[in-house]
Each structure stands twice: as structure tokens, then as C-alpha cells.
Amino acid sequence: MEEAIESSLKEWQKIEPPEEFVKKANMNDPDIYDMAEKDYERFWEGIAENIDWYSKWKSVLEWEPPHARWFIEGKLNASYNCLDRHIDSRGDKTAIIWEGEKGDIRKYTYRQLLDATSRFANSLKDMGVKKGDIVTIYLPMIPEAVIAMLACARIGAPHSVVFAGFSADALAQRIENSRSKFLITCDGYLRRGKEIPHKKRADEGVSRVDTVDKVIVVRHTGSDVPMSKQRDVWWHEVMDSASTGCDPEIMDSEDMLFLMYTSGTTGKPKGVVHTTGGYMVGTHITTNWVFDIKEDDIYWCTADVGWITGHSYIVYGPLSNGATILIYEGAPDYPERDRFWDIVERHKVTIFYTAPTAIRAFMRWGEDIPAKHDLSTLRLLGTVGEPINPRAWLWYYENIGNKRCPVVDTWWQTETGMIMITPLPGITPLKPGSATRPFPGIKAKVLDDEGNEVSQGHGGYLALTRPWPSMIRTVYKNEQRFIDTYWSKWDIDTYMSEDGARRDEDSYFWILGRVDDVIKVAGHRLGTMEIESTLVSHPEVAEAAVVGKKDEVKGEVIVAYVTLAERISESDNLMSDLVDHVADEIGPIARPAHIFFTDELPKTRSGKIMRRILKSIADGEDVGDITTLQNPEIVEELKRKVDESG
Ligand code: PRX
């Protein structure tokens, strides 16, 4: 098997798009790149025609670095674009196929989705939600999450979706920052057959802030949950009494569509602000060209709606294209490891978009598992979230796509809103492991510290050197952080992605991963500082340093080095306490895989913790030069501890 893949890697330096695919592809004109390059504003102006506007823009772009405003004075509504405009031609077409973990299935046609969205939008209004109010959505993968997002968009209330796997504290932090008065949540949800008491967590979160007036609770599992009399209302009850039909609010192109909190280098997650016009234009066209969405496709993106991928490529991109989307509530290995392929077969999925970490898990489980299923309906595969190693790419291409389906490796970020570097499946020859080239109109470069382009084959920072419609507008209530994080490394008009990259002889991009203190655990983005401050908030911890350790399946796992407070001695109990503490404070995804107790952390003479060294120790790699440390002896000791732990 290994050998077969190795030889395939050599054989398939480049995989040309299949002829049949090219013929029918939504975008198959290679000149599109040159056209966009000639005048990118004109290019985006043409693309914007794919969205319905109440009134058109007066000009395409105002670029006062680092602030861009797109489609100036254009008026539109995102929910109108995802729903109303399809009703005449696709009213009875299935918009959502939902499958619960237990195997229960619910479907919504576009007409039903519009009806539910309008009712819920009216319910929100009845409760006092006004244009501009931020509504927090804390829901698992159920259709109500999509309905709630679209209802917010309909009435011009920006949503802030918090991943359901996050803890009460993480929820509270996000509500606090956005000063959100409304929360939408549910009783509970299933994960590997076990019910997660979600309402309880939501209640805990709400009790830590003083802003929330109303909590709307979806009855999903049917379990008993305490309802606070004044504050809590049932979703189905408000829906029953809500009037049908709700005129979409006419929004300015630059009105905020949503906030999405994401991790960065410093302690607290930042609220990435996305606005309406540019975001809809960008997600619509990338969905159309990258995923080649057609009328009869069944499209399944396995991401959670709580992440940007769910926003752009479950909700706004696909629905604005009138696609049929599939949403699955549960785990990929429940009840068995073939659950995903069973879903693909039963629902005849044609387009499948997932993360490398999932692919590596499937690979480990073995190719016999997908082989038991008929996957012949698939015609396009995608990946996102972290670098995909060529081996995993090829495994995916061969075992899931049967060498028929192009694999689109799509690089982008919460901040970019839309896919930025990607093959266009009807044009671009593929190379396993490369995200290939920037989407038409996008300009990306690999720069060194001084802002010079590095030569071919060498690593540098991935930078974006031209504005794009769905770009982050600011960090909510923290303009300075917006400028400092993204626009201060080089000139103010050059966006720092915080990713490393290199380009090859064909100018293809190869993403090397984060260069800041962000780690990617199974594709989830976490700040090491967030985890460190959580550890330090434990009364028995004096100091902590967190790094990502390479992991074959998850990409990275969390390793924490911890110094204990005076007179506290290490024990297995304390170790598991600390692991639970992190899971409680942030969420299970932030659970450290290893904790090492140490009397000291390696520090420079100026007292800075050397995380680079700690990472090398965790990865079992050479630690390099340690002569600048004030305590070089600690390195050997830590190496020994890590070695002994196996
Ligand atoms: O490091 C890059 C990695 O994911 C980061 C963005 O994470 P997030 O904002 O959570 O958004 C994830 C979904 C868009 C990037 O800075 N990343 C994303 N896609 C890829 C990737 N790394 C390599 N290849 C990709 N295709």
C-alpha cells in the first residue's frame, strides 16, 4: 500500500482535469485569470451581477488601506438571495436534507425554508430584535441553525454563531464581547449516542454575563430542561404564533452580516466582522466555480455551522446558488466507521467537502470501509482547514473519488470569508498537496520579513496584496488589533495571513501551516495563549506554555508544559484535573493530549518563554541553538521527560 502510494506520487506529478468534467464545468475558460488580472475591479463588478440587488452599487471599491468598502451604496439582503429569489424556479426543490445521528431524516424545500425563516424572523422581531442587534446562535448541526442565521440576515440583525462544542465560558466570553441580548440554543444533542446537555451549558454561559434578555430554545432531543420564566421561550411556541411572510430588510452592502470569533496570537478570540455585499458575491461565485454546483447536485460539506466553513460553504454560498445541501448531526464513526459513506450512498451525494484530519482518520481505518459502499454518485471532492499531505490527498482521490473526481484543496481563513487559493476543477491541473493558485482576481505572494518576494522553492509568509470582496472589515470593537494583526508586517495595503507558504516551478502554492501561535487540532483553530491562560487560571498552576505537536491524524495535538505553584506537587490526579479544566473552560477540542510538569520553562535571558524549543522537544526533533537561554539545562530534563512518556 505504502509503496503503491509512493509510486503514484511520482507518476502523478500533475493530474489533468477529466475531459468530461471540463466540458460541463461551470468555469472552464482558462482566460478567466488574465481577464480578472487586467482589471480586477471590473472583474468583481461582473461577478456581482450574480447576486440580486435592490439597487446597484455606485462604485465597485473604495480602498483606503487597510479599509475596503465594496459595492458602495449597493442594497441587498442575504436571505433574499438564499431563498426568495429561488422560489419561482426552485420552490419545490429540496434545499436541506438533514440526517440526525440516530438516522432520522428531515427535509426542507426552498419554499419551506423560506416559510420557516420568515416565521422565525417575525418571532425575533416580536421579541424586540432590531436591525443591528447582534444575536448569538449556539446550536448544533440541526436545520434550525441555518434557519436562525437566515432569519437574522433577513431582519438585518448580525449573527454571532458560537460552535456548539465550546464551553459555557467560551460562550460567555463571546456574548460579553458582542453585548448580545438574544441567544438561540437547544435542549441537547447527540454525540456518539450520548446526549450532550446543551441547554445547561447555555444557561451557565448566560449566567456569567449581564446582557442576555431572551433565550430561544429549540426542542431537539425532547429532554426535560429548566426554563427560566421571564427569559426563556420555546422555538416551536414562538414559531406557532408567528405570522408568515416577512419582508427582507434592505441592507447596505457594507452593513454587517455576521461576526465570527476566531483564535489568534493573543489571549482572547477576536470578532471577525463580515459585511453583506462583498461576502455574498465572494461566497456565491467560489461555490459556483470551485464546487461546480449544478442544479441536480447533492452537496455535502461536513464542517460545523459554528465555523466559517459552515457559514460560507454550508449556508450562504450553496443556498445563494440554489443548491441542495446535506447536513449531518453526528460523528463520522457512529454507529460504525462507515457512517459518512453510508450517507453518501443513501443520499446520492455528488460533491463532498471535508477536512484533511477526517481523511487521515478514514485512511487509518482502512480502504475496505468506503469500498463497501457505492460512492459512484460522487463527482467532486474538496478539502479545507489545514495542509493536506500528498499521501492523504491521493488516498482520498483513489479510495473515495475512484480517480474520477477532481480534488479541490481550498486555502482560506475566517478572515478571508471565501476560498482564496484553489484549483478550478474544470481548468487547473492538480498536484497532490498543493492548493495550486489564487482564485481569479486574488493576488497572493510569498514574502520574506522585509516584504520581498522569495524565490521559487523557498518558504516565506503568505501575503495577499490586493483587496477582495469578502475580506474581514475589522475586528469587532478592536480596530487596533485589526491593523496590528493583519496589516502591520509590511506596507499597510498588504495582508499578512499568518501562514507560511512556498511556490514551485509552476508557481503553484504549497501552504506550510501557521507561523503564529495558532494551532490546528483536527482542523479546529485554537490559540496557544488561550489555552495557557486557562491553565494559569487554575489555582495550582504558576506558569504554562502550550505548543502543537505533530500528529498523524489530527495534524496537531496540544502539549502543555506546566510549572506548579509553590508547595504543590505533581500527581496524576492533578494532571487529569488540568485536562478537564481546559475542556470545561474552552471546550473538549482544547483538551491537552500531554501535560508535562516542570520546575522551570526554558527562557531567554530577557525572560521570554522559548516555545520553539518546547515544540521541538514535543516533536522529538533537534532543539537547535540553546545557548541564548538563561536555563539551558532544563532542555535536557524536558527531553528526558517527553522521551519517557513515550
Ligand atoms: O493555516 C491555515 C489553515 O487554516 C487557517 C484558517 O483557519 P480558520 O480561520 O479556522 O478557517 C478554516 C477554514 C477556512 C489558515 O490560516 N488552512 C485552511 N485551509 C487550508 C489551510 N492550510 C493548508 N491548506 C488549506 N487548504
Side-chain angles (χ1 to χ4, degrees), residues 482-502:
F482 169 66
I483 296 172
D484 293 347
T485 311
Y486 308 106
W487 306 98
S488 296
K489 182 148 180 78
W490 308 287
D491 292 339
I492 190 83
D493 60 357
T494 304
Y495 174 90
M496 165 60 160
S497 71
E498 309 271 14
D499 272 325
R502 68 178 172 81

Side-chain angles (χ1 to χ4, degrees), residues 217-236:
V217 188
V218 176
R219 178 172 279 159
H220 178 49
T221 56
S223 306
D224 266 347
V225 290
M227 296 285 277
S228 152
K229 233 185 176 159
Q230 299 298 320
R231 194 195 65 191
D232 300 355
V233 289
W234 286 106
W235 169 291
H236 57 272

Side-chain angles (χ1 to χ4, degrees), residues 369-389:
I369 294 177
K372 282 194 297 205
H373 291 276
D374 176 4
L375 306 180
S376 62
T377 50
L378 288 172
R379 63 179 197 88
L380 181 74
L381 304 174
T383 90
V384 62
E386 39 169 335
I388 179 162
N389 39 318

Side-chain angles (χ1 to χ4, degrees), residues 47-62:
I47 297 293
E49 298 289 347
N50 295 299
I51 291 294
D52 280 16
W53 302 79
Y54 298 114
S55 55
K56 289 273 168 74
W57 51 93
K58 299 250 166 39
S59 59
V60 180
L61 170 67
E62 255 177 41

